[in-house]
């Protein structure tokens, strides 16, 4: 069974994930480091957009990358081969039901995954059992409610709200960033530290305007057009006007906040 | 004539401004530095909460601090004396109509001031004429629309919206942070750089929870209770429930973004 994935599995979505990973690499991953020799589990690797970055930055770490979608996994495997990554292996599976390995992992991480799961607590609780006591649990997630921009736009905001509502209808939570401290602490992960990473784009930062505001964020929202219209959430003309108005922020300003949470698997279970 | 100042001039408000300046000093001012020997104008210094910090961090700079309210200025002067600051002088005046000095200033700055002015463009345009060509213009402002928190609260958000609406009714803009790039660029300031400063508080950061979430932010919103009720914006019971629900974020998470803008007075006028 496939989980509902609000962003879909189209080629354009795959391209968006790669564009996103490029501009956000330093911001999100400058400190994604694991001890040399350790074994790390990635849950929900998708097409491997984050995998490639994290594996390249940690050449002496062995990664096991899991996804529930075979086509995504095939794409991730092909891309890893193309990038000459020899420290990554891929495995089809459901993060909620992965068998416990004979030797537990030293760390496990999620990138933009928990936000799509109807039961992130249950998944975290299970994944904790796959990591050695004292090992690392890490998650990077967005929070669409952190979005604000200038000039303001009511219709622009409604297109974003459609994406939030569609994701909620599929059991996800597009506002999960602000909940990460609670989620991690709530399941018993210890030493929880959450670090927000704010993206800010204005015309003095043209790379961010192009690669974040346009090709990452607006591309993400625009990708929900058909679902939103089919669900009767907005009219086509309101939707299109909303997307146009979001684009006006490329001449003004645009803000979004990601959250990176880290903690330790408890020593006693 | 006094400008409308949504936060009022009470002693509790003065205390809030000092609490705020304490916890935010590093975040907002670690890079508030001016060249030794330069002469710097502060507009709207109020009770001098920011003045004290900036003057202490720049002992070889001479500050001229202007405010439109005599009582605030007296408090600022007394506090500067108590703190043994010898590099600060105070002047009663309106930022929109300050006479041009015989020697222009090397820099001018605003902290939490533009957000209260009905005509920030006009003020900036005037202040640009008081600074030498190539000199620095700087502003630090908040943006209440950047606020988000967990657990979410509709009533809590409505109390914040009351403050935004009250400030707008007095001609201000509590969402000015996102507009700083536009404002600075629009009046012809060159080399504009805007740098957001995100505050994040959760129980792993108890100082931020206490000094920012509670004593700075919730104290600020709570201070608008009488005005909001008098204006019929909320019922007293809804208001009080809203403030209580905002306090729940002290066990969850709380986010707010400040903006620091910098640019240069144009060389040709």
């Amino acid at each position: 069974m496939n989980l509902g994935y609000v962003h879909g599995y189209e080629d354009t979505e795959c391209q968006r994930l790669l564009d996103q990973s490029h501009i956000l690499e330093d911001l999100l991953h400058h400190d994604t480091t694991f001890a040399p020799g350790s074994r790390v589990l990635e849950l929900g690797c998708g097409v491997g957009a984050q995998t490639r970055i994290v594996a390249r930055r940690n050449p002496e770490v062995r990664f096991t990358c899991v996804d529930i979608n075979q086509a995504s996994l095939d794409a991730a495997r092909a891309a890893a081969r193309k990038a000459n990554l020899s420290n990554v292996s891929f495995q089809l599976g459901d993060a909620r039901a992965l068998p416990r390995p004979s030797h537990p992992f030293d760390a496990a991480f999620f990138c933009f995954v928990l936000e799509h799961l109807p039961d992130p607590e249950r998944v975290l609780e299970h994944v904790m059992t796959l990591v050695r006591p004292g090992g690392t649990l890490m998650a990077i997630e967005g929070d669409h409610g952190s979005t604000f921009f200038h000039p303001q736009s009511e219709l622009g905001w409604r297109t974003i709200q459609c994406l939030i509502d569609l994701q909620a209808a599929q059991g996800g939570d597009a506002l999960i960033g602000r909940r990460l401290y609670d989620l991690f602490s709530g399941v018993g992960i210890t030493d929880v530290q959450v670090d927000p990473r704010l993206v800010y784009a204005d015309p003095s930062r043209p790379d961010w305007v192009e690669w974040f505001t346009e090709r990452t964020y607006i591309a993400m929202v625009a990708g929900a057009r058909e679902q939103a219209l089919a669900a009767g959430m907005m009219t086509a003309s309101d939707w299109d006007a909303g997307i146009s108005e979001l684009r006006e922020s490329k001449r003004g300003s645009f803000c979004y906040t990601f959250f990176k949470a880290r903690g330790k698997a408890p020593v006693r279970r």
Side-chain angles (χ1 to χ4, degrees), chain A residues 2-174:
Chain A
N2 255 353
L3 287 171
Y5 181 58
V6 71
H7 306 311
Y9 292 98
E10 302 293 322
D11 284 353
T12 50
E13 170 60 11
C14 182
Q15 189 55 50
R16 186 186 72 81
L17 292 171
L18 294 176
D19 290 349
Q20 166 181 285
S21 66
H22 159 77
I23 187 73
L24 295 172
E25 173 169 346
D26 272 352
L27 184 76
L28 301 182
H29 290 302
H30 70 86
D31 54 357
T32 305
T33 42
F34 302 100
S38 59
R39 293 169 55 253
V40 175
L41 178 65
E42 180 185 9
L43 289 314
C45 66
V47 297
Q50 307 298 319
T51 310
R52 266 166 275 186
I53 292 170
V54 176
R56 176 167 40 74
R57 297 177 82 100
N58 291 272
E60 296 177 68
V61 170
R62 281 175 52 210
F63 293 91
T64 301
C65 303
V66 173
D67 202 88
I68 201 167
N69 183 278
Q70 183 65 56
S72 295
L73 213 54
D74 291 343
R77 191 181 280 118
R81 202 176 295 128
K82 197 174 160 191
N84 288 317
L85 291 172
S86 58
N87 57 336
V88 184
S89 65
F90 295 93
Q91 185 180 322
L92 188 70
D94 183 335
R96 296 165 295 191
L98 277 184
R100 202 162 171 176
S102 48
H103 295 288
F105 290 96
D106 297 297
F109 73 97
F110 301 82
C111 286
F112 310 128
V113 172
L114 295 175
E115 61 179 308
H116 296 293
L117 306 181
D119 45 10
E121 291 88 351
R122 197 179 126 209
V123 174
L124 277 173
E125 278 169 353
H126 180 63
V127 169
M128 279 162 64
T129 69
L130 311 178
V131 172
R132 65 171 168 76
T136 298
L137 280 306
M138 197 184 90
I140 298 175
E141 301 288 340
D143 188 316
H144 296 354
S146 74
T147 311
F148 60 103
F149 47 88
H150 171 73
Q152 294 184 66
S153 156
E154 178 61 27
L155 285 176
W157 180 256
R158 281 180 55 204
T159 63
I160 299 166
Q161 189 64 50
C162 284
L163 186 58
I164 295 170
D165 293 344
L166 285 166
Q167 196 159 329
Q170 294 180 16
D173 179 5

